[in-house]
């Protein structure tokens, strides 16, 4: 178990290495002498540059200053204090994705712009759930692009989940309706519904997602039990406007932040977590089947500043 935890943390730290590298270099630069106001200002600026956003950056620098003002510290101590300050921001924004302890079938909708990682995230979740013995139905609700259906089928096959799709251009809401009826009749545990990230225009997409939700609710008023908004960390602060759009127009119950491995901008998770009404539940740290993790605010904060577990 300890070994497993180690591997998990290493993937997180490895994934976040591009984000933490920039921070580590600057931390070493800033804290060569006892902490003074100029260093605190530099720290705040560094956090803003790392995409943590001005509010959180200000609070973190302040908390850090209160703990360490006038003191010299080793790089390790500085990082520990910084990780603690970041964690304080994030711990209240951490949520659990736990489809197997909810009602059956547990219906999960994946939403987000094109390329954010919806299909990949769905595939990783399907693999994890089937490995844990659950019966999973994967639904290709992105009927807009044929390639999207194919891509999802590969993931479903790989994970041993069952798969439902329609022809390109078919009504996604109708597919979702049929899928949930089938899932009820055949006693599936979980239904994972992929959606399009782009249609003719933004409003067209919002209308389609709302229609899917309306139709799903006809079968089960409590569904979708989870609406996961998938956001790509590499777009930096654009993730904030996506959160705003989907959060306001569709309603979101949890956030997945993907591609934390591909960016030096992993800090953007902080302002997204704070802007959103819904917690961060999962993070993606690679393209592989094992590269999805429950969001652990403390572990994330330590990795972000380049600390070990
Ligand atoms: N490096 C990395 N790539 C990812 C991650 N999640 C998704 N991707 C890649 O991002 C691209 C778009 O993902 P996809 O799932 O097709 O996005 P969708 O359009 O929202 O369904 C694909 O090449 C994925 O392999 C991640 O956590 N890390
Ligand atoms: Mg997709």
């Amino acid at each position: 178990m300890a070994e497993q935890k180690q591997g998990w943390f290493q993937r997180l730290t490895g994934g976040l290495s591009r984000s933490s590298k920039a921070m580590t270099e600057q931390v070493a630069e800033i804290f060569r002498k006892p902490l003074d106001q100029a260093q605190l200002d530099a720290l705040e600026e560094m956090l803003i540059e790392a995409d943590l956003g001005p509010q959180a950056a200000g609070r973190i620098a302040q908390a850090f200053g209160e703990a360490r003002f006038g003191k010299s510290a080793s790089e390790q101590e500085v990082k520990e204090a910084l990780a603690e300050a970041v964690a304080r921001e994030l711990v209240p924004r951490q949520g659990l994705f736990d489809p197997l302890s909810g009602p059956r079938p547990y219906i999960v909708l994946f939403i987000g712009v094109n390329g954010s990682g919806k299909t990949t995230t769905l595939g990783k979740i399907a693999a994890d759930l089937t490995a844990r013995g659950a019966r999973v139905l994967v639904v290709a609700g992105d009927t807009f692009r044929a390639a999207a259906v194919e891509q999802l089928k590969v993931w479903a096959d790989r994970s041993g989940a069952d798969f439902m799709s329609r022809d390109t251009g078919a009504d996604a809401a109708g597919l979702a309706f049929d899928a949930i009826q089938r899932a009820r009749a055949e006693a599936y545990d979980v239904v994972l519904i992929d959606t399009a990230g782009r249609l003719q225009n933004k409003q067209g997409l919002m209308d389609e997602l709302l229609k899917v939700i309306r139709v799903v609710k006809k079968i089960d008023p409590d569904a979708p039990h989870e609406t996961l908004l998938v956001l790509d960390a590499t777009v930096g602060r654009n993730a904030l406007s996506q959160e705003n759009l989907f959060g306001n127009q569709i309603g979101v119950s949890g956030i997945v932040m993907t591609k934390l491995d591909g960016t030096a901008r992993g800090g953007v998770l902080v302002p997204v977590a704070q802007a959103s009404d819904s917690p961060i539940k999962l993070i993606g740290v690679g393209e592989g089947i094992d590269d999805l993790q429950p969001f652990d605010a403390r572990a994330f904060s330590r990795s972000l500043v380049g600390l070990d577990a």
Side-chain angles (χ1 to χ4, degrees):
M1 189 62 203
E3 209 168 88
Q4 205 178 343
K5 169 139 205 231
Q6 196 59 27
W8 163 84
F9 193 84
Q10 267 157 10
R11 271 207 297 278
L12 176 62
T13 325
L16 277 169
S17 61
R18 289 183 61 189
S19 296
S20 61
K21 188 164 177 288
M23 283 222 197
T24 304
E25 282 165 5
Q26 296 203 37
V27 162
E29 193 61 34
I30 294 171
F31 298 101
R32 288 239 164 81
K33 47 190 183 36
L35 184 61
D36 61 17
Q37 190 56 47
Q39 287 169 297
L40 273 184
D41 292 346
L43 172 66
E44 186 171 342
E45 209 169 293
M46 183 265 276
L47 294 170
I48 292 172
E49 265 168 43
D51 274 329
L52 273 82
Q55 281 97 0
R59 278 196 304 271
I60 292 168
Q62 197 189 343
F64 188 84
E66 279 161 14
R68 302 233 58 102
F69 205 82
K71 296 180 195 162
S72 302
S74 69
E75 189 174 326
Q76 178 75 14
E77 287 170 314
V78 167
K79 286 181 173 178
E80 294 280 353
L82 195 53
E84 189 48 45
V86 174
R88 209 169 302 145
E89 298 283 322
L90 288 177
V91 165
R93 309 301 310 137
Q94 169 185 316
L96 189 64
F97 175 67
D98 188 15
L100 297 185
S101 63
R104 307 285 163 99
Y106 195 85
I107 296 157
V108 187
L109 194 65
F110 294 77
I111 64 173
V113 303
N114 230 22
S116 61
K118 291 179 296 301
T119 303
T120 306
T121 300
L122 191 160
K124 292 170 179 173
I125 290 173
D128 174 57
L129 291 174
T130 51
R132 286 154 66 191
R135 292 193 64 226
V136 178
L137 184 58
V138 166
V139 186
D142 182 356
T143 54
F144 194 61
R145 296 180 305 132
V149 177
E150 266 315 301
Q151 181 196 1
L152 189 62
K153 178 146 189 354
V154 169
W155 274 107
D157 289 348
R158 191 185 298 170
S159 56
D162 290 328
F163 180 74
M164 263 178 93
S165 67
R166 292 251 171 97
D167 292 341
T168 310
D171 179 30
L175 171 61
F177 187 88
D178 290 352
I180 294 168
Q181 289 217 307
R182 173 177 164 193
R184 286 188 144 193
E186 298 178 21
Y188 280 89
D189 298 308
V190 183
V191 183
L192 303 175
I193 306 176
D194 200 10
T195 65
R198 186 195 304 138
L199 291 180
Q200 292 75 9
N201 58 54
K202 204 190 309 182
Q203 200 49 51
L205 174 62
M206 294 301 143
D207 290 345
E208 165 148 315
L209 293 174
L210 289 170
K211 184 174 167 196
V212 169
I213 291 170
R214 257 196 329 272
V215 163
V216 164
K217 284 192 185 305
K218 279 187 191 161
I219 305 179
D220 181 349
D222 294 331
H225 303 102
E226 190 81 74
T227 302
L228 292 178
L229 173 62
V230 181
L231 297 172
D232 169 354
T234 65
V235 305
R237 294 181 66 80
N238 280 340
L240 276 168
S241 52
Q242 291 171 21
E243 189 286 318
N244 195 289
L245 175 70
F246 285 92
N248 288 335
Q249 297 225 19
I250 310 298
V252 168
S253 64
I255 290 175
V256 185
M257 181 69 77
T258 64
K259 307 191 201 179
L260 282 165
D261 54 305
T263 181
R265 314 173 84 177
V268 75
L269 185 140
V270 174
V272 166
Q274 289 173 340
S276 174
D277 293 333
S278 41
I280 312 275
K281 296 197 169 172
L282 298 160
I283 58 172
V285 292
E287 293 183 280
I289 205 158
D290 293 326
D291 293 327
L292 186 75
Q293 306 186 346
F295 177 59
D296 177 327
R298 288 192 182 281
F300 177 87
S301 304
R302 292 183 71 79
S303 290
L304 186 67
V305 304
L307 280 174
D308 295 333

